[in-house]
Amino acid sequence: MSTTPITSKRTRWMPAIAIGVGAALVVALIVAAFLWPTVTSSVKGIPLGVVGEPSAVAAVEQGLQQNAAGVFSTIAQGSRDDAVAFVQRRETFGAIITGPTPEVMIASAASPSVAAILRQVAGSLQQQAAARVAAAGGDPASVSIAVTDVVPLVDADPNGSALAAVGFPLTLGGIAGGVLISLLVAGVGRRLAALALFTVVSAGVVALVTHAWFGVLPAPGGSFGLVAAIAVSLLGTASFVVGANAVLRTAGIAIGAGLTMLVANPISAAAVPVQFLAEPWGQVGQFFVPGAAATLVRDLSYFPAADATRPWLVLVAWAALGVVLSAVGHFRNREVVHLEAIEEDAPMTRRSRPVPRASV
């Protein structure tokens, strides 16, 4: 009895080594991309309102400059109501109210880290005021500076960790949906239908979990806007991945997913204020899907008075870009197939013609 040896094609040593080194470089790139914003971040340029007489405002600004140079960017405001309105529109992270009843306003929902810094500022101001009263012969215990949380976090998310963490599942979910649709669905119409179905169902489930079940996204302006924001956030990423795949084939999936995960996500400022990131990357990140999605979800969850026009436009633009790329890739590929068919059929047509016979 004879046996046939089974042979397998082995990868050559040099390509195997190159693939191993390349995979290691990819890991290094991922680690660097995610650690870079944290390592390079610094507390600077935090918008802060100051209310009071010009002399009192100047004294506060001087004190902040001496004790926390560059940390705050102060804005003089006319009244306490103006200060509250600025915080509710996310134009400032808090305010210092001078006068007979001094007060420090914070907004934990805007940034728990900035709120903690402002609490420290309130403690320093109280110590300074108490020292002045004691030097004048008064009772330092009578000095009290109130700290008011204008926009507090909900009880279900007292540290704001869940709010900051919502952005990553939206990014990862959008990438996963785009990759699956790219690999498993053929035809531009069917892909767009799959994108629409994926977006609607996923947004409903995410809103149900985060808003109705866990309660970490309160959405005072109504749950419909929150569902729409989640939907367009998922659609922006998934649509771009599908569109990139339609134009660039398999390489498009890698480019779409890599750009979103390794470039846009680290500079999204989902967990820290935009001002904390190295300039200009914090602002640049707001023009990608993860950054715009994080800003929009926070606005709709806690700051209904904030102007959310830019994040809405950014997310819609990315979703539309993906649809356009899908259509371009579809028609380009269809034209290529059409031309190849003509070239292959032409010789067969010529060979099939009857050859005229000479008469005798």
Side-chain angles (χ1 to χ4, degrees):
M1 183 176 68
S2 62
T3 59
T4 302
I6 299 176
T7 60
S8 60
K9 186 178 180 181
R10 297 180 179 179
T11 304
R12 294 181 179 180
W13 280 106
M14 288 305 296
I17 294 174
I19 291 173
V21 174
L25 293 176
V26 170
V27 173
L29 177 63
I30 293 173
V31 173
F34 278 86
L35 288 182
W36 175 82
T38 302
V39 174
T40 60
S41 65
S42 60
V43 183
K44 60 185 185 301
I46 300 173
L48 178 68
V50 182
V51 178
E53 297 295 330
S55 59
V57 171
V60 170
E61 292 177 345
Q62 183 178 3
L64 292 175
Q65 186 62 28
Q66 290 176 350
N67 299 315
V71 173
F72 296 101
S73 175
T74 57
I75 302 173
Q77 296 170 331
S79 65
R80 185 183 185 278
D81 291 339
D82 291 340
V84 171
F86 268 70
V87 172
Q88 292 176 339
R89 294 196 300 264
R90 289 194 73 185
E91 296 179 20
T92 59
F93 284 83
I96 296 177
I97 314 297
T98 64
T101 55
E103 179 184 7
V104 174
M105 292 182 180
I106 64 174
S108 299
S111 173
S113 58
V114 174
I117 294 173
L118 288 176
R119 289 184 185 275
Q120 295 176 359
V121 170
S124 299
L125 292 176
Q126 180 157 336
Q127 291 178 359
Q128 295 171 9
R132 289 194 298 269
V133 170
D139 182 10
S142 63
V143 178
S144 176
I145 296 181
V147 177
T148 305
D149 199 342
V150 179
V151 188
L153 290 160
V154 293
D155 293 337
D157 186 25
N159 299 320
S161 55
L163 177 62
V166 166
F168 186 75
L170 292 181
T171 300
L172 189 60
I175 292 175
V179 171
L180 290 175
I181 292 172
S182 298
L183 296 178
L184 302 179
V185 181
V188 62
R190 291 172 176 81
R191 283 187 169 185
L192 294 179
L195 277 173
L197 185 61
F198 160 76
T199 300
V200 172
V201 175
S202 298
V205 171
V206 172
L208 180 65
V209 171
T210 57
H211 176 67
W213 184 8
F214 292 148
V216 295
L217 301 181
S223 59
F224 177 79
L226 181 62
V227 174
I230 295 172
V232 74
S233 300
L234 291 167
L235 180 61
T237 299
S239 176
F240 177 64
V241 172
V242 171
N245 169 252
V247 174
L248 302 175
R249 300 183 185 273
T250 305
I253 296 178
I255 292 174
L259 178 64
T260 302
M261 183 60 69
L262 301 181
V263 178
N265 189 67
I267 60 175
S268 63
V272 297
V274 172
Q275 292 81 4
F276 282 22
L277 299 182
E279 295 181 350
W281 298 111
Q283 292 296 336
V284 171
Q286 297 303 299
F287 290 92
F288 288 94
V289 173
T295 298
L296 184 58
V297 169
R298 190 179 293 269
D299 285 350
L300 295 178
S301 297
Y302 287 99
F303 299 89
D307 184 7
T309 302
R310 187 177 70 177
W312 277 116
L313 291 178
V314 169
L315 295 174
V316 170
W318 279 99
L321 175 62
V323 173
V324 171
L325 291 177
S326 296
V328 170
H330 168 73
F331 289 112
R332 187 197 65 177
N333 294 335
R334 188 173 67 174
E335 186 64 22
V336 170
V337 173
H338 176 69
L339 293 176
E340 289 176 352
I342 293 177
E343 292 175 357
E344 292 176 357
D345 291 344
M348 296 179 60
T349 303
R350 287 194 297 268
R351 285 196 302 270
S352 62
R353 291 177 181 174
V355 179
R357 301 178 61 182
S359 60
V360 292

